[in-house]
């Protein structure tokens, strides 16, 4: 430890012996002229004030914890009806003091844990309003393993308080140690805690301060989770009630996730991390970073991501007298997966963590070690050990044991070679990101994928089926990064390898499906349809083992046909209803249930296109309900179905309902995922359209500008969603008369749109943005010749796709005609109209179409001069 730290620690310990009112002046004198030393001392004082050694203390408002504890029989009057009589103090910590109190309201008498929170001040009014909102949320947490939230708000004198169910019990870690509980019993107890946390997550509440001190076990052996949502309530702006915000939260640092320490937005993954720390402590007897003596060093240790498995902990010494004498590799794997540094690499939900623990208890393979064939074989053998033993005797007697062993060895050898090839490739790939190997380059994920694709093509030591699998993974990653154009050659090579290596039909169908997704992303619906159709032919629908994959390809094929608009909506609706009739009896399976959800979403879209809005809304509402069942442990995933319902309501007679739903979805995105996400930007974009339909142009523009900002923060300046939403916001600026701002936004995004304007939807997006710029220039009163040139470029960009995107082509032609009329170029205007008419004839556009009517209006304007 440094001399500076030791000096600061000595000063902090002395300061704690002084009265609070004399402490600041004494510190000013001791640390005079050394601001760095004062910062170190202040940090240590914050840690020393806490009820444990590593607590970050929140600051509710300008005040501090009351100097003296409340005496017995003191009465606390709440601002709302109800009074509390203090019985005794239960504890004291960074958030304030906790008392056993008796609640009196009329004839009601109830013992509660009354938490008098630190701080008073001028913010009392907004704080009370915010706490009332949060109390309603927390009161809905009804679970046998969650201490019931009873009341909360401000006392009559402005002191923030919370009243919770009084739980008499022992901390979960102490409970396990004093009773020498064996490993399996500890895990079963921990599973009840997981069930409580998952219950709250499904109701959009994140705990954010999970630790043994907040998990008490009663005398009957039932755990009770305390302080759920108190981190939400103890923010400086309680009215915002944003559970993803990271500033000023009360948390125990030893159990805080890396993203919490780094100040990043929080999600349910933060609770998964904290549960991982608690589980580590229950099985190993120590926390993951127990070797870090100073709380000052603990944040860096957590953020580093370097954690030893519980079984390798220096303090875990197996003993016959200990409750946990040995920590199996399965438990190591489960704990370490929950404690992965990147939230996306952890268990996707608490339910998934609990499922793996139950699999361990049942002697089944755990997902944290999925993919190891020998490991899975060992678990199967242990689960059925008596039958396996008997079978082995029979095999020995028949003389077949040697043959079977040889076959298994060949299979294991093949799997080992495949795993080694994959491991070598991945090691080489990520070596590119090592600063010592990257020659000072700061590589992006895309650049890493690019290098991986090039390296993989040059590798001759990787079997064809393994290369195809790796290329599939790279292609899928490109699609996830919205780089469909880059995904195409990679997936086409994977498909060629599958075809030439006589791959299994289901593997070939999987690659065809990924390639179809890449084409769909680029707006190339016809190509996607052909690929999905080919994949279906490889998977006979009458084979129960293949029906799920067949149905998935069929749904995607129908969805693409609906987007293309060439097949009558009535026919697509008929086929989807027939397919749903086959899926519904099988939908008790979660995987089939999820395929059925995609089929119903496609059906709702087709009904909406057919202007059967009421039917479409009914189907989409059913989708939302089914998502609650089949994605119960993934609340963030369920948001997409609700946002689609909100967008669908905007297209019917439910605009106000749609806006309200989208506002609710936006709040939930912030709570569950974070403020700066691409998905949230899409929701805000839909919400802006809703405000426009309600005639609220001010909120429309405000929301679209926010959507643009969120999309840029989440995906960067070249992200497709940002570029599209920015164009929509620019159009709103034009509508609001802010022409110069609109032109500026469009000029900023056009280079990125042009750079990615490959054939397909990206070219159409580029044309659409050019059209918006042309109209903005016309509205601003600028030179119509510049607007004409811009709109002519829009026409050329969309021309190859005009049949599928007539609305964009029509806009470009109308803009040119208007600009030429404004500049007096009548011959030029006539040529524009001639080109428009020629395209309508060549594409066979019906006479009663809106595009024919648009052309007729322009021809009338040209004739009128």
């Amino acid at each position: 430890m440094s001399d500076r730290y030791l000096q600061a620690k000595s000063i902090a310990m002395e300061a704690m012996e002084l009265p609070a009112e004399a402490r600041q002046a004494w510190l000013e004198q001791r640390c005079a002229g050394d601001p760095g030393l004062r910062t170190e001392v202040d940090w240590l004082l914050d840690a020393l004030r806490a009820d444990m050694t590593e607590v970050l203390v929140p600051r509710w408002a300008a005040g501090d914890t009351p100097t003296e504890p409340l005496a017995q029989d003191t009465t606390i009057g709440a601002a709302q009806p109800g009074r509390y009589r203090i019985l005794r103090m239960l504890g004291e910590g960074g958030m304030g003091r906790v008392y056993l109190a008796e609640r009196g309201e009329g004839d009601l008498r109830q013992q509660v844990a009354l938490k008098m929170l630190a701080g008073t001040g001028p913010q009392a009014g907004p704080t009370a309003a915010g706490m009332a909102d949060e109390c309603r949320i927390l009161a809905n947490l009804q679970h046998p393993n969650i201490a019931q939230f009873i009341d909360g708000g401000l006392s009559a004198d402005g002191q923030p308080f919370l009243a919770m169910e009084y739980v008499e019990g022992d901390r979960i870690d102490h409970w396990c140690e004093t009773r020498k509980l064996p490993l399996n019993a500890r895990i079963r107890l921990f599973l009840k805690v997981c069930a409580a946390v998952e219950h709250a997550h499904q109701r959009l509440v994140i705990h954010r301060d999970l630790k043994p001190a907040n998990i008490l076990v009663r005398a009957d052996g039932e755990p009770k989770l305390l302080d759920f949502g108190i981190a939400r309530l103890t923010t400086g702006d309680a009215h915002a009630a944003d559970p993803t915000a990271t500033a000023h939260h009360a948390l125990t640092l030893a159990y805080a996730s890396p993203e919490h320490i780094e100040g990043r937005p929080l999600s349910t993954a933060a609770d998964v991390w904290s549960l991982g720390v608690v589980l580590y402590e229950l099985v190993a007897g120590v926390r993951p970073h127990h070797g870090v003596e100073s709380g000052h060093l603990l944040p860096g240790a957590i953020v580093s991501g370097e954690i030893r498995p519980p079984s390798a902990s220096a303090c875990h010494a197996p003993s016959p007298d200990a409750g946990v004498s040995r920590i199996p590799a399965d438990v190591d794997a489960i704990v370490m997966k929950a404690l992965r540094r990147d939230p996306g690499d952890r268990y996707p939900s608490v339910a998934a963590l609990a499922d793996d623990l139950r699999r361990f208890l049942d002697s089944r393979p755990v997902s944290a070690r999925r993919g190891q064939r020998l490991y899975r074989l060992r678990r199967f053998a242990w689960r059925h050990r008596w039958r396996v033993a008997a079978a082995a005797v029979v095999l020995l007697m028949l003389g077949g044991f040697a043959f079977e062993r040889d076959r298994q060895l060949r299979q294991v050898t093949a799997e080992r070679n495949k795993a080694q090839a994959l491991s070598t490739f991945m090691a080489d790939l990520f070596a590119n990101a090592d600063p010592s190997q990257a020659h000072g380059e700061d590589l992006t994920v895309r650049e890493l994928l690019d290098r991986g694709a090039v390296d993989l093509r040059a590798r001759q030591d990787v079997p064809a089926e393994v290369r195809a699998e790796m290329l599939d993974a790279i292609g899928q990653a490109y699609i996830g990064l919205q780089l469909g154009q880059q995904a195409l050659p990679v997936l086409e090579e994977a498909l060629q390898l599958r075809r030439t290596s006589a791959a299994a039909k289901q593997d070939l169908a999987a690659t065809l499906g990924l390639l179809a997704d890449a084409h769909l992303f680029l707006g190339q619906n016809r190509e996607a349809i052909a690929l999905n159709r080919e994949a279906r032919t490889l998977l006979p629908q009458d084979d129960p083992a293949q029906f799920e994959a067949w149905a998935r390809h069929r749904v995607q094929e129908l969805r693409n046909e609906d987007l293309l608009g060439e097949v009558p909506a009535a026919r697509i609706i008929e086929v989807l209803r027939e397919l749903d009739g086959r899926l519904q009896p099988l939908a008790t399976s979660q995987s089939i249930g999820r395929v059925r959800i995609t089929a119903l979403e496609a059906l709702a879209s087709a009904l909406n296109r057919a202007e059967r809005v009421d039917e479409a809304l009914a189907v989409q509402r059913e989708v939302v309900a089914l998502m609650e069942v089949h994605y119960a442990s993934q609340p963030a995933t369920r948001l997409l179905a609700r946002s689609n319902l909100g967008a669908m309501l905007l297209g019917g007679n439910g605009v106000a309902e749609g806006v309200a739903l989208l506002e609710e979805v936006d709040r939930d995105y912030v709570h569950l995922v974070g403020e700066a996400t691409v998905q949230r930007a899409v929701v805000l974009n839909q919400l802006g359209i809703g405000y426009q339909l309600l005639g609220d142009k001010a909120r429309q523009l405000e929301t679209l500008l926010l959507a643009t900002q969120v999309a840029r923060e989440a995906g960067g300046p070249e992200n497709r969603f940002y570029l599209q939403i920015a164009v929509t916001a620019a159009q709103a600026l034009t509508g609001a008369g802010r022409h110069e701002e609109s032109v500026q936004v469009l000029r900023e995004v056009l280079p990125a749109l042009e750079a990615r304007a490959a054939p397909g939807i990206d070219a159409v997006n580029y044309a659409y943005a050019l059209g918006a710029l042309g109209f903005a220039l016309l509205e601003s009163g600028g030179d119509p010749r510049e607007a004409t040139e811009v709109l002519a470029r829009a026409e050329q960009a969309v021309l190859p796709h005009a049949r599928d995107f007539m609305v964009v082509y029509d806009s470009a032609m109308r803009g040119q005609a208007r600009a030429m009329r404004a500049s007096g170029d009548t011959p030029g205007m006539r040529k524009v109209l001639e080109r428009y008419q020629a395209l309508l004839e060549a594409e066979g556009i019906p006479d009663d179409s809106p595009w024919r009517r648009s052309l007729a209006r322009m021809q009338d304007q040209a004739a009128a001069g």
Side-chain angles (χ1 to χ4, degrees):
M1 292 183 287
S2 68
D3 292 340
R4 169 61 61 86
Y5 169 74
L6 293 173
Q7 181 185 5
K9 182 177 179 180
S10 174
I11 294 172
M13 296 297 290
E14 290 182 53
M16 289 299 294
E17 300 297 323
L18 298 174
E21 60 272 15
R23 196 173 295 155
Q24 292 302 317
W26 184 83
L27 287 171
E28 290 290 342
Q29 182 180 1
R30 284 297 307 270
C31 302
D34 193 343
L37 176 62
R38 178 59 188 272
T39 299
E40 187 94 358
V41 170
D42 286 343
W43 194 96
L44 288 168
L45 285 172
D46 281 343
L48 290 168
R49 290 190 195 105
D51 56 347
M52 294 186 67
T53 56
E54 308 95 7
V55 174
L56 301 185
V57 182
R59 288 293 175 259
W60 184 289
D64 204 345
T65 309
T67 304
E68 297 296 333
L70 298 175
Q72 183 177 353
D73 292 329
T74 301
T75 299
I76 304 297
Q80 62 270 29
R83 300 173 70 83
Y84 297 89
R85 183 171 65 88
I86 302 298
L87 300 180
R88 70 174 189 273
M89 190 168 77
L90 297 173
E92 182 175 5
M95 291 175 57
R97 296 189 176 99
V98 185
Y99 299 89
L100 176 62
E102 184 180 73
R103 182 182 186 226
E105 185 175 343
D107 295 332
L108 172 68
R109 292 292 181 270
Q110 179 184 16
Q111 283 195 348
V112 300
L114 187 69
K115 301 175 186 289
M116 303 302 295
L117 300 174
T120 57
Q123 295 93 332
T127 297
M131 289 191 70
D133 291 341
E134 291 303 323
C135 291
R136 281 191 289 272
I137 295 174
L138 298 178
N140 287 328
L141 297 182
Q142 302 286 338
H143 192 276
N145 299 116
I146 296 179
Q148 181 64 44
F149 181 88
I150 295 171
D151 190 12
L154 300 178
S155 66
D157 61 356
Q159 180 76 25
F161 77 91
L162 302 169
M164 311 288 294
E165 172 191 355
Y166 173 58
V167 179
E168 190 168 0
D170 197 4
R171 290 169 43 136
I172 189 171
D173 53 342
H174 296 167
W175 171 276
C176 293
E177 287 304 314
T178 56
R179 287 161 179 78
K180 303 297 183 186
L181 286 188
L183 177 64
N184 285 10
R186 296 181 189 223
I187 290 176
R188 291 190 185 95
L189 185 65
F190 181 77
L191 282 171
K192 294 183 178 182
V193 178
C194 290
V197 178
E198 180 64 18
H199 171 83
H201 284 183
Q202 291 176 4
R203 284 149 185 82
L204 311 182
V205 180
I206 305 172
H207 193 292
R208 302 185 300 176
D209 194 18
L210 291 165
K211 57 186 178 182
N214 278 336
I215 307 169
L216 299 185
V217 185
R218 301 184 313 197
D220 62 359
E222 283 297 307
K224 280 278 189 178
L225 193 49
L226 312 181
D227 287 356
F228 230 121
I230 287 193
R232 294 168 66 105
L233 291 167
T234 54
T235 61
D237 180 8
H239 191 63
D242 176 8
T244 64
T246 54
H248 310 303
H249 282 164
L251 74 150
T252 305
L253 184 56
Y255 300 88
S257 63
E259 62 268 26
H260 207 155
I261 289 172
E262 292 178 326
R264 291 185 278 138
L266 300 184
S267 68
T268 54
D271 279 354
V272 171
W273 169 281
S274 299
L275 285 171
V277 180
V278 173
L279 181 58
Y280 192 113
E281 194 167 358
L282 291 183
V283 302
V286 294
R287 293 193 292 263
H289 299 98
H290 63 89
V292 181
E293 296 181 4
S294 168
H296 180 62
L297 304 175
L298 188 55
I302 294 172
V303 171
S304 73
E306 297 178 4
I307 299 175
R308 300 183 69 185
S311 63
S313 169
C315 294
H316 180 72
S319 166
D321 299 328
V324 181
S325 59
R326 185 182 67 86
I327 301 175
D330 281 0
V331 175
D332 270 348
I334 292 170
V335 172
M336 297 305 287
K337 182 169 182 177
L339 293 178
R340 289 178 184 173
R341 189 191 186 287
D342 188 340
D345 291 337
R346 296 172 207 153
Y347 286 101
S349 65
V350 176
L353 166 61
D355 180 66
D356 240 7
L357 288 169
R358 281 189 288 269
R359 295 177 72 86
F360 164 74
L361 293 176
D362 295 340
S363 296
R364 291 183 292 148
V366 300
S367 68
R369 299 181 67 186
R370 183 167 293 155
Q372 300 179 22
R373 296 297 180 88
L374 278 175
Y375 158 73
R376 298 169 72 85
L377 183 61
R378 283 200 309 271
R379 298 307 293 172
F380 176 85
W382 175 251
R383 194 164 68 250
H384 303 283
R385 49 195 176 277
W386 302 118
R387 275 182 271 176
V388 170
V393 171
V394 173
L395 285 171
L396 282 169
M397 292 175 64
L398 295 176
F401 175 72
F403 174 80
E404 176 64 14
R405 186 182 65 173
D406 184 61
R407 185 191 68 79
Q408 290 185 7
L409 283 174
R410 287 198 305 271
Q411 181 180 354
V412 168
T413 300
E415 290 295 329
R416 183 200 62 197
N417 292 340
K418 179 177 177 179
Q420 286 178 345
L422 179 60
S423 175
T424 301
F425 170 72
M426 295 304 293
D428 291 347
L429 174 61
F430 284 99
N432 288 326
D434 186 341
S436 64
Q437 303 294 325
H439 306 293
E441 296 179 80
D442 185 11
L443 297 178
T444 65
V445 175
R446 175 186 171 174
E447 290 166 339
L448 201 59
L449 288 172
D450 290 343
R451 293 191 179 190
V454 172
D455 291 347
L456 189 55
R457 291 189 177 101
R459 296 288 290 267
Q460 299 301 316
D461 59 327
V462 181
E465 66 273 16
V466 181
R467 289 176 63 202
E469 190 173 335
M470 294 177 181
L471 289 167
D472 276 354
I474 291 175
Q476 194 168 15
Y478 273 131
I479 295 172
L481 293 172
Q482 300 146 25
L483 298 169
Q485 197 65 42
Q486 284 69 32
L488 283 181
V490 172
L491 292 171
E492 284 168 352
E493 183 173 345
L495 182 60
Q496 183 63 26
L497 286 169
R498 297 279 196 205
R499 294 191 194 279
T500 57
S501 64
K505 289 184 177 181
Q506 57 266 33
D507 292 337
L508 180 57
T511 301
L512 286 165
L514 286 173
L515 193 54
D517 291 343
H519 281 290
L520 172 62
F521 188 85
L522 294 169
Q524 298 166 354
N525 303 91
R526 289 184 178 85
E527 291 83 350
I529 290 170
L531 290 163
N532 283 128
R533 195 167 289 162
E534 182 183 353
R536 279 199 302 116
T537 64
L538 299 171
L539 305 167
Q541 56 179 305
D542 54 353
D543 181 354
Q546 304 293 340
F547 175 67
E548 179 185 330
W550 179 90
R552 190 179 295 109
H553 287 292
R554 182 58 169 149
V555 170
Q556 196 66 7
E557 178 186 344
L558 292 166
R559 185 189 290 270
N560 282 318
E561 288 180 341
D562 184 42
L563 290 171
L564 197 59
E566 293 181 350
V567 177
R571 173 57 183 162
I572 293 176
I573 292 167
E574 177 187 356
V575 176
L576 282 169
R577 287 200 185 279
E578 178 185 344
L579 180 57
D580 181 54
R582 297 179 62 187
L583 288 167
Q584 189 170 3
L586 306 173
T588 52
S589 156
Q590 186 181 78
S591 57
I592 293 287
R594 291 181 175 184
V595 175
R596 185 183 178 224
I597 286 172
T598 62
L600 288 173
E601 285 181 314
L603 176 59
S605 177
L607 287 166
N608 201 45
R609 181 166 72 90
E611 299 183 357
R612 294 159 60 174
V613 179
D614 291 341
E615 292 178 72
L617 288 172
V619 173
Q620 190 62 30
R621 291 185 197 277
E622 183 179 2
V623 168
V624 172
L626 288 173
M627 292 284 284
E628 296 287 335
V629 176
H630 294 290
Y631 291 89
S633 63
Q634 300 177 37
T637 303
R638 302 199 302 266
L639 294 176
L640 180 60
R642 290 166 57 202
S643 65
N644 287 341
L645 176 59
M648 201 170 286
L649 284 164
L650 299 182
N653 297 320
V655 176
E657 181 186 355
V659 167
L661 178 56
L662 289 168
E663 289 175 336
E664 179 183 294
V665 169
D666 177 52
R667 287 193 295 271
D668 290 346
Y669 260 119
V670 172
H671 282 222
L672 285 171
V673 186
E675 291 188 354
T677 66
V678 172
Q679 297 94 326
R680 186 195 176 208
V682 174
V683 172
L684 288 169
N685 188 62
Q686 291 287 350
L687 194 52
I689 295 172
Y691 289 138
Q692 179 188 19
L693 294 172
L694 289 176
D696 192 342
K697 292 187 176 181
R699 292 190 73 183
Q700 172 205 0
L701 182 56
E702 176 187 1
T703 304
L704 289 175
L705 291 175
L706 175 60
T708 304
Q709 175 187 338
V710 168
R712 185 184 178 99
E713 289 179 5
E718 297 182 0
N719 176 270
R720 167 192 267 179
F721 291 102
Y722 161 68
L723 297 172
Q724 292 175 343
I725 292 171
V727 173
T728 304
Q731 290 176 312
L733 286 168
T734 299
R738 294 162 62 174
H739 307 301
E740 291 183 3
E741 293 175 70
S742 175
V743 170
Q744 180 181 354
V745 170
L746 290 166
R747 291 195 193 281
E748 286 177 358
V749 300
L750 272 169
L753 284 166
E754 184 177 15
R756 62 185 303 150
I761 192 64
D762 287 320
V764 176
N765 288 334
Y766 174 55
Y768 184 67
L770 286 169
L773 176 59
F775 274 95
L777 290 169
L778 288 173
E779 292 293 332
S780 66
D783 187 348
R785 289 174 296 183
E786 182 184 2
T788 301
E789 186 271 332
V790 169
L791 290 160
R793 287 162 54 200
E795 176 192 357
Q796 291 304 311
V798 76
L799 189 60
H801 315 284
R803 177 67 178 84
D804 298 331
F805 298 94
M806 280 301 300
V807 64
V808 179
Y809 181 81
D810 175 77
S811 177
M813 304 308 279
R814 283 189 295 106
Q816 285 185 80
R818 175 182 166 185
M820 289 176 176
R821 186 153 51 92
S823 60
D825 186 359
T826 304
M829 182 179 180
R830 290 198 183 98
K831 289 180 180 178
V832 168
L833 300 182
E834 288 170 2
R835 291 199 302 274
Y836 197 168
Q837 183 162 2
L839 182 130
L840 295 178
E841 297 296 338
E843 296 292 346
I845 303 297
D847 291 339
D848 61 346
S849 72
W851 321 121
R852 294 277 188 180
R853 293 194 293 272
S854 177
L855 174 61
R857 285 192 295 272
M858 287 188 281
Q859 289 171 334
D860 291 342
Q861 291 169 355

